[in-house]
Amino acid sequence: MLDLIIRQGRVDDEGPLADIGVRDGRIDQVAPAVREEARRELHAGGKVVIPGLIEPHIHPDKAFLEQKMPNRSGTLEEAIRNTAALKARYTAEDVRERAERVLEWAVRRGTTTLRAHPDVDPIEKLMGVEALLALRQAYADVLDLQIVAFPQEGIIKAPGTEELMREAIRLGADAVGGCPYNEAGITETRRHIDICFRLAAQHGLPIDMHVDFADDVDDPRYTTAEYIARKTIAEGYQGRVSLGHVTTLGAVAPEARASLFELLAQAGISIVMLPATDLHLSGRKDRRTVRRGLAPAKELLAAGVNVAISSNNIRNAFTPFGLADMLQIGLLLCHTAHMGSPGEQMAVLRMATVNAARAIGIGDVYGLAAGRQADLLVLDTERVADVLVDQPDRLYVVKRGQVTVTTHRTVEVHRGPGTRSGERPAAGPSRQADRIREGGVPR
Ligand SMILES: [Zn+2]
């Protein structure tokens, strides 16, 4: 007896509909027809099924601060300054309430694993880490929550931070964060990176740093990707380092790109693009032809680098927008990174699923295949290729084989007399399901 069967889901636009059988929290089989019985069945009726969305980089502790102190200049400097001022007034209840709202939104929109970066510094101390540790327990049935000890205010610049990071790790943080550009000069920036690697090695943890978040390559504090890649290889840390933002990769001279991107791929570094923030804070000094400030996603993917996306911030000085919705972030990237062809849209969907899973170290247990954790999403659309453009309702979210979210929505259109109620608009031109591919669906 299986625990759950999702019947007749669209898992691949070119193959037949599939039944997905689940036992003991894992996918038991994916087949055109599962013969066994189950305690519960969901009828997908041809709707799309994908693995649960992964949010690999988000800051729940500083969400929803925008209304308290808006970022008037729209720059990274003011975002850090305003947030530091607000942090001094945090209470544990306030942090927990705002963080919980983010988790709630993420779960409702189909995120089944989330990596949070709470600030760890002499202002906030361990308030964010403690709030998220409590929420990790409270949300254990619906969400896997990883916690990164993130030194937003710098390490050298903010004495006492390294000790606080050690304490965060002792309490249960899963990864070592970093913010090496927020130091006084390149010497301190490199020392910051070295401290992160040392802490990670001492505790056997992965590394996930915010780096190279600027428009130009003229300040060496914002061009550390090569240093980090070489250090990753030297320390034997391949596959265990993720870097957020890395927008200056887009400003690297064309002739220097191939060797740098090859080095990043060789180091197994994951790049986590944060388009909502990157687009909002970048190009602020440009008076004409405003730059988008994104890492060059397509070139990086072509070079074999693992590239993921994430929300980063929800409605604060860094990003005044956000729903903690990975499909919304995906569509934003499609628009702004010139990733509109069917194959490119599928690549973006992988950045929110399989690539994001790899970026946070769960690539070997994640995916829509037998033996993998049964974290699944049934979407209100009928082609995998339409997931980003349709932004469909998340009809069912399944976490470790349990249904954790159901969405029911009724929309009625009231037309004038003489039309039949419930009439559907005429179908558009027939679509060719074989235009997609270039790597296929997230599995
Ligand atoms: Zn961030």
Side-chain angles (χ1 to χ4, degrees):
M1 175 78 86
L2 293 162
D3 297 320
L4 174 73
I5 298 174
I6 300 177
R7 295 275 184 206
Q8 297 301 287
R10 171 64 65 201
V11 300
D12 182 333
D13 288 339
E14 292 179 353
L17 297 177
D19 288 355
I20 302 162
V22 173
R23 195 194 314 272
D24 298 331
R26 292 189 176 275
I27 296 171
D28 182 81
Q29 51 189 304
V30 182
V34 169
R35 302 284 170 214
E36 287 184 62
E37 290 188 358
R39 289 181 186 82
R40 182 166 185 185
E41 292 201 1
L42 297 178
H43 292 271
K47 302 286 186 184
V48 165
V49 183
I50 63 171
L53 297 166
I54 307 284
E55 179 89 77
H57 179 135
I58 194 165
H59 300 271
D61 58 322
K62 57 187 173 205
F64 305 110
L65 294 177
E66 172 66 1
Q67 288 178 349
K68 297 185 185 187
M69 195 183 289
N71 179 352
R72 306 264 178 221
S73 68
T75 59
L76 175 62
E77 295 71 31
E78 186 177 338
I80 293 177
R81 200 166 59 239
N82 288 5
T83 308
L86 290 168
K87 272 198 279 197
R89 309 207 290 262
Y90 281 177
T91 65
E93 298 71 40
D94 160 52
V95 172
R96 180 177 165 128
E97 184 274 319
R98 288 183 291 98
E100 181 159 14
R101 216 184 319 162
V102 172
L103 302 192
E104 193 71 31
W105 285 14
V107 166
R108 282 164 181 249
R109 290 173 176 86
T111 287
T112 49
T113 301
L114 175 149
R115 177 179 268 187
H117 288 247
D119 291 11
V120 172
D121 54 55
I123 313 168
E124 184 168 333
K125 299 195 170 66
L126 296 168
M127 212 178 263
V129 171
E130 285 164 350
L132 284 156
L133 284 165
L135 288 168
R136 173 153 76 188
Q137 277 204 318
Y139 277 74
D141 291 344
V142 295
L143 187 70
D144 289 329
L145 176 56
Q146 298 185 3
I147 298 171
V148 182
F150 171 48
Q152 167 80 80
E153 308 296 330
I155 298 178
I156 320 309
K157 210 169 95 175
T161 298
E162 188 180 341
E163 291 67 33
L164 286 164
M165 290 171 76
R166 285 184 195 283
E167 183 61 11
I169 293 165
R170 198 189 63 76
L171 290 172
D174 307 275
V176 175
C179 195
Y181 54 72
N182 195 10
E183 296 289 359
I186 183 60
T187 310
E188 292 82 359
T189 291
R190 289 199 172 163
R191 271 181 63 206
H192 181 127
I193 294 165
D194 294 347
I195 290 169
C196 294
F197 271 88
R198 198 177 62 227
L199 271 176
Q202 283 170 354
H203 298 275
L205 296 178
I207 295 169
D208 193 339
M209 295 188 284
H210 292 61
V211 308
D212 298 359
F213 185 21
D215 291 319
D216 299 302
V217 290
D218 48 6
D219 183 336
R221 294 176 302 163
Y222 297 94
T223 55
T224 58
E226 181 177 344
Y227 178 77
I228 293 168
R230 293 200 188 285
K231 194 164 176 73
T232 298
I233 294 167
E235 304 277 327
Y237 245 71
Q238 291 96 325
R240 302 189 72 197
V241 177
S242 289
L243 303 178
H245 299 296
V246 214
T247 57
T248 55
L249 290 179
V252 171
E255 60 276 14
R257 288 181 180 210
S259 59
L260 176 57
F261 295 180
E262 196 179 310
L263 182 66
L264 290 168
Q266 199 191 331
I269 284 178
S270 290
I271 302 290
V272 183
M273 299 178 70
L274 307 164
T277 305
D278 297 344
L279 289 158
H280 185 66
L281 296 181
S282 296
R284 290 285 176 164
K285 293 196 182 90
D286 294 344
R287 287 289 157 265
R288 50 185 286 191
T289 319
V290 177
R291 284 169 287 181
R292 299 183 183 190
L294 294 171
K298 290 198 280 189
E299 279 181 69
L300 288 162
L301 288 168
V305 178
N306 184 50
V307 185
I309 47 173
S310 202
S311 294
N312 195 33
N313 281 292
I314 306 296
R315 307 189 192 194
N316 64 14
F318 297 85
T319 317
F321 317 111
L323 286 166
D325 184 343
M326 288 298 293
L327 296 186
Q328 185 191 56
I329 295 295
L331 185 60
L332 177 65
L333 190 75
C334 289
H335 280 280
T336 54
H338 292 162
M339 297 186 77
S341 75
E344 288 164 348
Q345 289 192 41
M346 294 301 275
V348 173
L349 189 55
R350 285 196 297 278
M351 292 164 80
T353 52
V354 284
N355 296 13
R358 200 171 138 200
I360 61 168
I362 59 165
D364 55 343
V365 295
Y366 174 87
L368 213 168
R372 301 301 171 106
Q373 188 162 293
D375 293 356
L376 299 162
L377 199 49
V378 183
L379 298 166
D380 192 10
T381 187
E382 282 157 20
R383 294 197 324 151
V384 184
D386 290 334
V387 166
L388 290 171
V389 281
D390 278 355
Q391 301 280 298
D393 279 345
R394 327 297 138 100
L395 298 175
Y396 297 102
V397 183
V398 173
K399 180 67 184 171
R400 282 189 288 275
Q402 300 293 322
V403 178
T404 52
V405 178
T406 56
T407 302
H408 309 280
R409 192 200 296 271
T410 307
V411 179
E412 293 179 21
V413 178
H414 303 281
R415 297 171 65 187
T419 55
R420 281 181 289 129
S421 67
E423 194 170 49
R424 295 174 70 92
S430 71
R431 293 154 156 174
Q432 296 167 351
D434 58 356
R435 289 175 303 181
I436 319 112
R437 309 317 285 178
E438 286 181 36
V441 298
R443 303 292 296 252

